[in-house]
Amino acid sequence: MAHKHLNGGNAVILEQLRNGTAKFELVSSPVPSVDAAAPPNKKNTSLFGIGNCSSTLFFARIGSSLGEQSSAMKKREYFSVQKVTGDGRCLFRALVKGMAHNKGTALNQHEERENADELRMAVKETICENDRERILYEEALIAITVDEPLKRYCQRIGRPDFWGGESELLVLSKLCKQPIIVYIPEHEHRGTSWGSSGFIPIAEYGSEFGKVSKNLKPRKPVRLLYSGKNHYDLLV
């Protein structure tokens, strides 16, 4: 979901999402404006499995988190892929693996799993158990409750095989004060063959933590590779 000030049309759209008269659809490429009148038979194209929308309700089409940086961020980039275990914790595993890599350390499988579960439980505590903290994560709450009731989400996130995605990235980038950039393989973005070896950034979270400030040393981003099969690996 785009990080934008909630004024004008954006405020209207968010209100429609809250009261159920609009459905959320994250599009892979930024759109010039919010369109609440997409055809009712438009299929959801969420990058992160948010919302299985196929109804007569309007769609709130919101561009990816790249926002105004989209043209610059669409450039092909090259990294090495570090595979992450696909046990339902892949997003959380990739994050802790990436943060450790940025600090020059490595985690064994046991540490990786424990730290990944700690991240998942940190999201649960923030969103499900702390009313004061929860209100600071409006974008994540909208992304969650558009697809399911908050109560059901809070029951699911407690399970060790819970799959993380957009909502959790919105929370963890702030909790960890960590810039996070999500990429897809170039061949998926451009519709080219598997021979394409580059990666295209599609979403960015916590970019403010990568900038110089008085209170925080700028942090290196963690770069995640997302596949269309709901799996995350690490790019280094």
Side-chain angles (χ1 to χ4, degrees), residues 1-6 10 14 17-18 24 26 50 62-67 127 133-147 150 153 165-174 204-209:
M1 182 174 294
H3 298 273
K4 297 179 180 178
H5 295 293
L6 306 183
N10 287 336
L14 290 182
L17 289 170
R18 291 191 191 96
F24 179 88
L26 180 68
I50 302 169
I62 303 176
S64 69
S65 301
L66 295 178
I127 297 298
E133 284 289 311
R134 182 188 304 145
I135 61 175
L136 303 177
Y137 297 88
E138 185 177 33
E139 287 181 302
L141 283 170
I142 291 172
I144 291 166
T145 56
V146 150
D147 195 35
L150 184 60
Y153 171 85
E166 167 88 340
S167 307
E168 293 69 40
L169 288 170
L170 286 165
V171 175
L172 290 171
S173 60
K174 289 185 178 181
E204 184 174 9
Y205 308 87
S207 59
E208 64 272 25
F209 303 117

Side-chain angles (χ1 to χ4, degrees), residues 23-44:
K23 284 289 186 179
F24 179 88
E25 177 189 4
L26 180 68
V27 294
S28 59
S29 298
V31 290
S33 62
V34 175
D35 178 7
N41 62 349
K42 174 69 175 177
K43 292 183 179 179
N44 180 272

Side-chain angles (χ1 to χ4, degrees), residues 135-197:
I135 61 175
L136 303 177
Y137 297 88
E138 185 177 33
E139 287 181 302
L141 283 170
I142 291 172
I144 291 166
T145 56
V146 150
D147 195 35
E148 63 182 327
L150 184 60
K151 182 178 179 179
R152 181 171 180 271
Y153 171 85
C154 291
Q155 292 171 340
R156 291 197 309 109
I157 195 174
R159 301 201 304 254
D161 60 348
F162 174 86
W163 288 14
E166 167 88 340
S167 307
E168 293 69 40
L169 288 170
L170 286 165
V171 175
L172 290 171
S173 60
K174 289 185 178 181
L175 276 181
C176 300
K177 295 181 172 57
Q178 176 63 58
I180 303 168
I181 305 175
V182 179
Y183 294 76
I184 59 173
E186 183 186 2
H187 69 85
E188 289 187 15
H189 176 73
R190 305 190 188 281
T192 54
S193 68
W194 280 92
S196 302
S197 59

Side-chain angles (χ1 to χ4, degrees), residues 39-86:
N41 62 349
K42 174 69 175 177
K43 292 183 179 179
N44 180 272
T45 56
S46 170
L47 294 171
F48 304 101
I50 302 169
N52 298 314
C53 307
S54 180
S55 69
T56 57
L57 296 175
F58 287 124
F59 280 91
R61 301 186 71 245
I62 303 176
S64 69
S65 301
L66 295 178
E68 287 73 17
Q69 301 179 30
S70 58
S71 59
M73 293 288 289
K74 277 186 178 181
K75 294 179 180 178
R76 179 194 304 118
E77 298 180 40
Y78 295 94
F79 303 99
S80 297
V81 179
Q82 287 194 3
K83 293 294 184 180
V84 171
T85 303

